[in-house]
Amino acid sequence: MISRQSVTVAKWEFLRFFKWKQQLISYLLMMAVMAAVALWSYFTDESRKVYRIAVPAEFTISNTEQFQFQRPTIALDEQLAQLKDGESWHGVVTLSPDKEAESGVVLHTLAAKKWQQQLEAELNNYFRQQYATELQLTAGQLSRLQQPLALEYVYLDEDFKGKDTPEKMIALGVLILLFIGLSTAFGQVLLSITGEKQQRVTEQLYAIVTPQQWMDGKVLGHSLSAMKAMVTSALVMLLVFIVVSVVVRDDGINLSWLNWGVLAWLVPFALLGVLLSACFMGAIAASIDDPNTSGKGAVMMITWLPMLFTYLVIDSPTGTAMTVLSWLPLTSFAAMPVKMAMVDLPWWQPALSLLLLVAAVWWMRRVAGRIFLRGMQMYGKEPSWGQIVGWALSNKAD
Amino acid sequence: MQLIVTAISKDYGSIPAVRQVSFQINSGEIFALLGPNGAGKSSIIRMLVGMTKPDQGSILVSHQDEHYDHVPRRLLGYLPEDRGLYPDKSIEKNLLYLAQLHGLSKQKALKEMAHWLEVFDLTDRRDEDLKQLSKGNQQKVQLIAAVLHQPALVILDEPFSGLDPINQEKVVGFLKALKARGMTVILSAHQMAMVEKLADHMLLMAKGSAILTGTLADIQQQAGPQRQMAISCAGPVNVEQLQQWLPDLAIEVISANRFILKLTAEQSVSATLKLLVNELELTQVEMQTADLHQLYLMAMARHQQREPA
C-alpha cells in the first residue's frame, strides 16, 4: 500500500526535523523555567509575611498568622502619615464617615497588593460574626448560613461516567496532545513542501517518484513527527504529574485513574487524525507557490477546529453536537476519544467511526496527491480555490 | 533507448509553447535541443519526462522491446532547468537520498558516488553542506544526482549554465563518459561550442517550432550560405565596385583591404576567384566553414525575417 519510495521520503522528512539535541535542550529549558517560576512564587509569596494593620479601638478582631491588628490611640492623620513612612503599619482600617456608603469600611494602604485580598476575607468574616451577634445567632446557625449548597448529582444514564472525573482530565489531555501534534505538523508540512518548491527540488523529485508517492512520504514523515511530539509531551506531562505527586504532595505514584481501555483506542484515533490533518495541510501547502505572498497557509489552521468544537461541547458528552462530531470523519478523531473517555460506548461505535476515518484519510491523501501534481504543472502560477476544489473532486487518474 | 517524437504541439492557455515538432533520437547518442529562451526546449523536455502531455502528436519511447508514451522514471536521469537540492544537507546525504529514491542500495550508491565525485574533484568536500559550495559545484552535484542510478536516458536542461570554461569542459568530458557507458543523452544549451563538440544530432528551435534538425553536417547543408572566403588585397577595396562585380554574393568588409564573401551551395568558388584575380591584387585567400554559432545566428535571423514578432 505504501511504496518503498514513500517510506524513503517519510524517513528523510522525519529525520530532517528530528533534532534530538535541540529538543532535549528545549525540554531542559522548559523545566528550568518552571523551576524558576516555582522558586519566584515561593520567595514572593506574601501570605508567609506578617502584616500590621491599624484598626479602630472598638474592633474586637483577633490576630491571625498573617495579620496583627493594632488599635493606635493617635489621630487618623498621624496614623496615615506613619503609614506613608512605612514604619508602623501596612494598612489602616477606618469606618467610613459616609453613612450611606455600602461597605462602611475603608482600607488605607500605599498601593494594591495581593495580601489585601486575604485581609478583606478576614474583615468580611469579622463583620459577619458581628452581625450574627447583633441578630443573636449561635455559632452553629452562622456556620450553616455560610455553608454553600452541597448539590449532589445523580445521573440516570448509566453509561455517563461523571462530570468532574479523571476521565475528563484524560479527555482534555487528548485535546491538548492533538493540538500539540497538529501544531508540529502544521509548521513542518508548510516549511517542507513550500521550502522544496523554493529550493527548486520539486521537479527533480518528480522525475524520480510519483506525486502520490511523494505526498504519501511527506504525510507519513510529518505525521510521525507529530506523533513523536505528542508522545514526548505526554511523557513530560506524566513526569510532571509524578514529580508533583511524589515530591510536592508526598502521595507516591498512583496511576489507577488511567483508563487503559480508552487509551488503547486513543492511539489509532490520534494517528488517523494526524494523518488526515497532515493530508489536508499537504494539499493546501502543495497549492502554495510562494509562502511569502500566499494567503493560503492560514487555511491549514482549519485542522485545529475539531479540537475547538469538541472542547466547546465537552460538558455535554451525550448531546447531539458531540454525537455528530464523533461520527463525522473530519472531526471524529478529536471527538470520539473524548466521548469514550467520558461515556461508556458499545465497541462497534468507535470501530465504525474509526473505519469512516480510515476512508476519509484514504480520500484526502488522493486529493493531496492530485493537488500537488496539478499545482506543480502550473509553473509558478498559484491555483484558485475553484481549481483546487475541482481537482479535489475530480476522479482523473494522476 | 530510442525516442520518436511526431508532430507534438503544446499550448499553455492561449500561448503556443511547441508547434508541430518532430525528431528522432537513437540509442546511445547525444541529442541537443538548441534555441533562444522561450523557444520551447523545456516544454519539450517536460513532455518527454511526462510532467505534461502533448496536446497533439505523439511520443514513442522504446527500450528493450517495451514501448511508452513518455520516459519511465526508472530509466530516466533528469537535470531540470528549475533545479536545486537541500542546501542544509551534505553532498553525500543529498546524493544518497536521491539514489535511494531511485532504488539503489546504500553500498552501490556510495560506490557510484565516489566515482563521480572524483571526476568532478569533489571527493574531499562530500561532507560539506550544499550551501557551502559555489554555484558551479552545486551544479556538478546535481549532474551527479541525475546519473547515479545509471539511467538509460539522461535529460539535462542547460547543463553548462553557471559554469566557468574549465568546468564547462569537465561537463563535456562527463557527457562523453555517459555516452561511453551507453546512455542516451538529451541536452538543451546555448553554448554552441560545447554542443558542436558533443552532439550527434541536434534540433534548432525558435518560437516553439523546429527550424533546423539533423547532424552538424546536415544543419550546415540546410543552413544555406555556409561557405565563406576571407580575402586580403594589396590595396584598399572599393566595396561598391566589388558589389557590382559580384552582385549575387553577400559581402562583409573586415578592414580597408580585407573582406569576406559568403557563398551559397550553388555558387562556384573557382569562378568567383577568377573574376577577383582579374580585378584585384590578392595577397591571401582563405576558405572558411560557418561554425554552429554562426549557423545558429543565421538561422535565427532568417526565421525572424520570415516570422515577424
Side-chain angles (χ1 to χ4, degrees), chain A residues 19-30:
Chain A
K19 317 267 185 195
W20 66 270
K21 275 186 200 165
Q22 282 97 320
Q23 197 166 28
L24 193 65
I25 290 168
S26 69
Y27 279 124
L28 287 174
L29 274 175
M30 193 173 76

PDB file of all heavy atoms in Angstrom, chain A residues 19-30:
ATOM      1  N   LYS A  19      15.574  16.807  15.607  1.00  0.00           N
ATOM      2  CA  LYS A  19      16.798  17.367  16.182  1.00  0.00           C
ATOM      3  C   LYS A  19      16.768  17.045  17.677  1.00  0.00           C
ATOM      4  O   LYS A  19      16.299  17.854  18.475  1.00  0.00           O
ATOM      5  CB  LYS A  19      16.854  18.881  15.971  1.00  0.00           C
ATOM      6  CG  LYS A  19      16.433  19.337  14.575  1.00  0.00           C
ATOM      7  CD  LYS A  19      17.601  19.450  13.662  1.00  0.00           C
ATOM      8  CE  LYS A  19      17.174  20.026  12.326  1.00  0.00           C
ATOM      9  NZ  LYS A  19      18.103  19.869  11.269  1.00  0.00           N
ATOM     10  N   TRP A  20      17.223  15.857  18.045  1.00  0.00           N
ATOM     11  CA  TRP A  20      17.021  15.404  19.425  1.00  0.00           C
ATOM     12  C   TRP A  20      17.789  16.250  20.422  1.00  0.00           C
ATOM     13  O   TRP A  20      17.325  16.471  21.539  1.00  0.00           O
ATOM     14  CB  TRP A  20      17.340  13.919  19.578  1.00  0.00           C
ATOM     15  CG  TRP A  20      18.778  13.569  19.374  1.00  0.00           C
ATOM     16  CD1 TRP A  20      19.387  13.231  18.213  1.00  0.00           C
ATOM     17  CD2 TRP A  20      19.786  13.521  20.379  1.00  0.00           C
ATOM     18  NE1 TRP A  20      20.708  12.998  18.407  1.00  0.00           N
ATOM     19  CE2 TRP A  20      20.990  13.159  19.740  1.00  0.00           C
ATOM     20  CE3 TRP A  20      19.815  13.757  21.754  1.00  0.00           C
ATOM     21  CZ2 TRP A  20      22.185  13.030  20.429  1.00  0.00           C
ATOM     22  CZ3 TRP A  20      21.020  13.614  22.434  1.00  0.00           C
ATOM     23  CH2 TRP A  20      22.180  13.259  21.778  1.00  0.00           C
ATOM     24  N   LYS A  21      18.964  16.750  20.001  1.00  0.00           N
ATOM     25  CA  LYS A  21      19.740  17.580  20.946  1.00  0.00           C
ATOM     26  C   LYS A  21      18.980  18.851  21.278  1.00  0.00           C
ATOM     27  O   LYS A  21      18.832  19.222  22.443  1.00  0.00           O
ATOM     28  CB  LYS A  21      21.098  17.932  20.326  1.00  0.00           C
ATOM     29  CG  LYS A  21      22.152  16.867  20.527  1.00  0.00           C
ATOM     30  CD  LYS A  21      23.490  17.353  20.011  1.00  0.00           C
ATOM     31  CE  LYS A  21      24.390  16.169  19.753  1.00  0.00           C
ATOM     32  NZ  LYS A  21      25.544  16.495  18.939  1.00  0.00           N
ATOM     33  N   GLN A  22      18.481  19.515  20.204  1.00  0.00           N
ATOM     34  CA  GLN A  22      17.729  20.751  20.424  1.00  0.00           C
ATOM     35  C   GLN A  22      16.477  20.488  21.249  1.00  0.00           C
ATOM     36  O   GLN A  22      16.102  21.288  22.097  1.00  0.00           O
ATOM     37  CB  GLN A  22      17.319  21.389  19.093  1.00  0.00           C
ATOM     38  CG  GLN A  22      18.440  22.135  18.394  1.00  0.00           C
ATOM     39  CD  GLN A  22      19.108  21.277  17.349  1.00  0.00           C
ATOM     40  OE1 GLN A  22      19.314  20.072  17.578  1.00  0.00           O
ATOM     41  NE2 GLN A  22      19.448  21.856  16.234  1.00  0.00           N
ATOM     42  N   GLN A  23      15.859  19.323  20.986  1.00  0.00           N
ATOM     43  CA  GLN A  23      14.622  19.007  21.702  1.00  0.00           C
ATOM     44  C   GLN A  23      14.906  18.802  23.188  1.00  0.00           C
ATOM     45  O   GLN A  23      14.181  19.304  24.044  1.00  0.00           O
ATOM     46  CB  GLN A  23      14.001  17.747  21.117  1.00  0.00           C
ATOM     47  CG  GLN A  23      12.563  17.604  21.524  1.00  0.00           C
ATOM     48  CD  GLN A  23      11.841  16.567  20.694  1.00  0.00           C
ATOM     49  OE1 GLN A  23      12.443  15.638  20.205  1.00  0.00           O
ATOM     50  NE2 GLN A  23      10.556  16.737  20.568  1.00  0.00           N
ATOM     51  N   LEU A  24      15.996  18.081  23.461  1.00  0.00           N
ATOM     52  CA  LEU A  24      16.382  17.840  24.858  1.00  0.00           C
ATOM     53  C   LEU A  24      16.668  19.178  25.543  1.00  0.00           C
ATOM     54  O   LEU A  24      16.221  19.426  26.676  1.00  0.00           O
ATOM     55  CB  LEU A  24      17.623  16.935  24.879  1.00  0.00           C
ATOM     56  CG  LEU A  24      17.988  16.335  26.223  1.00  0.00           C
ATOM     57  CD1 LEU A  24      16.900  15.371  26.674  1.00  0.00           C
ATOM     58  CD2 LEU A  24      19.322  15.603  26.141  1.00  0.00           C
ATOM     59  N   ILE A  25      17.403  20.037  24.828  1.00  0.00           N
ATOM     60  CA  ILE A  25      17.735  21.347  25.411  1.00  0.00           C
ATOM     61  C   ILE A  25      16.457  22.134  25.682  1.00  0.00           C
ATOM     62  O   ILE A  25      16.302  22.762  26.737  1.00  0.00           O
ATOM     63  CB  ILE A  25      18.688  22.119  24.465  1.00  0.00           C
ATOM     64  CG1 ILE A  25      20.055  21.448  24.465  1.00  0.00           C
ATOM     65  CG2 ILE A  25      18.815  23.578  24.890  1.00  0.00           C
ATOM     66  CD1 ILE A  25      20.990  21.923  23.386  1.00  0.00           C
ATOM     67  N   SER A  26      15.497  22.078  24.737  1.00  0.00           N
ATOM     68  CA  SER A  26      14.263  22.855  24.931  1.00  0.00           C
ATOM     69  C   SER A  26      13.470  22.331  26.131  1.00  0.00           C
ATOM     70  O   SER A  26      12.899  23.115  26.888  1.00  0.00           O
ATOM     71  CB  SER A  26      13.415  22.857  23.656  1.00  0.00           C
ATOM     72  OG  SER A  26      12.907  21.587  23.436  1.00  0.00           O
ATOM     73  N   TYR A  27      13.470  20.975  26.322  1.00  0.00           N
ATOM     74  CA  TYR A  27      12.754  20.437  27.494  1.00  0.00           C
ATOM     75  C   TYR A  27      13.465  20.842  28.790  1.00  0.00           C
ATOM     76  O   TYR A  27      12.813  21.186  29.779  1.00  0.00           O
ATOM     77  CB  TYR A  27      12.646  18.912  27.401  1.00  0.00           C
ATOM     78  CG  TYR A  27      11.515  18.471  26.509  1.00  0.00           C
ATOM     79  CD1 TYR A  27      11.720  17.630  25.437  1.00  0.00           C
ATOM     80  CD2 TYR A  27      10.214  18.936  26.728  1.00  0.00           C
ATOM     81  CE1 TYR A  27      10.678  17.247  24.597  1.00  0.00           C
ATOM     82  CE2 TYR A  27       9.171  18.554  25.904  1.00  0.00           C
ATOM     83  CZ  TYR A  27       9.411  17.711  24.841  1.00  0.00           C
ATOM     84  OH  TYR A  27       8.387  17.341  24.015  1.00  0.00           O
ATOM     85  N   LEU A  28      14.803  20.806  28.768  1.00  0.00           N
ATOM     86  CA  LEU A  28      15.549  21.207  29.966  1.00  0.00           C
ATOM     87  C   LEU A  28      15.285  22.680  30.277  1.00  0.00           C
ATOM     88  O   LEU A  28      15.087  23.067  31.434  1.00  0.00           O
ATOM     89  CB  LEU A  28      17.054  20.970  29.758  1.00  0.00           C
ATOM     90  CG  LEU A  28      17.485  19.498  29.778  1.00  0.00           C
ATOM     91  CD1 LEU A  28      18.949  19.355  29.414  1.00  0.00           C
ATOM     92  CD2 LEU A  28      17.228  18.887  31.162  1.00  0.00           C
ATOM     93  N   LEU A  29      15.261  23.498  29.198  1.00  0.00           N
ATOM     94  CA  LEU A  29      14.980  24.929  29.386  1.00  0.00           C
ATOM     95  C   LEU A  29      13.582  25.123  29.963  1.00  0.00           C
ATOM     96  O   LEU A  29      13.378  25.940  30.874  1.00  0.00           O
ATOM     97  CB  LEU A  29      15.081  25.662  28.045  1.00  0.00           C
ATOM     98  CG  LEU A  29      16.484  26.125  27.653  1.00  0.00           C
ATOM     99  CD1 LEU A  29      16.451  26.719  26.248  1.00  0.00           C
ATOM    100  CD2 LEU A  29      17.000  27.174  28.639  1.00  0.00           C
ATOM    101  N   MET A  30      12.626  24.326  29.427  1.00  0.00           N
ATOM    102  CA  MET A  30      11.237  24.446  29.898  1.00  0.00           C
ATOM    103  C   MET A  30      11.162  24.105  31.386  1.00  0.00           C
ATOM    104  O   MET A  30      10.517  24.806  32.171  1.00  0.00           O
ATOM    105  CB  MET A  30      10.365  23.483  29.088  1.00  0.00           C
ATOM    106  CG  MET A  30       8.884  23.704  29.230  1.00  0.00           C
ATOM    107  SD  MET A  30       7.999  22.643  28.079  1.00  0.00           S
ATOM    108  CE  MET A  30       8.123  21.074  28.902  1.00  0.00           C
TER     109      MET A  30
END
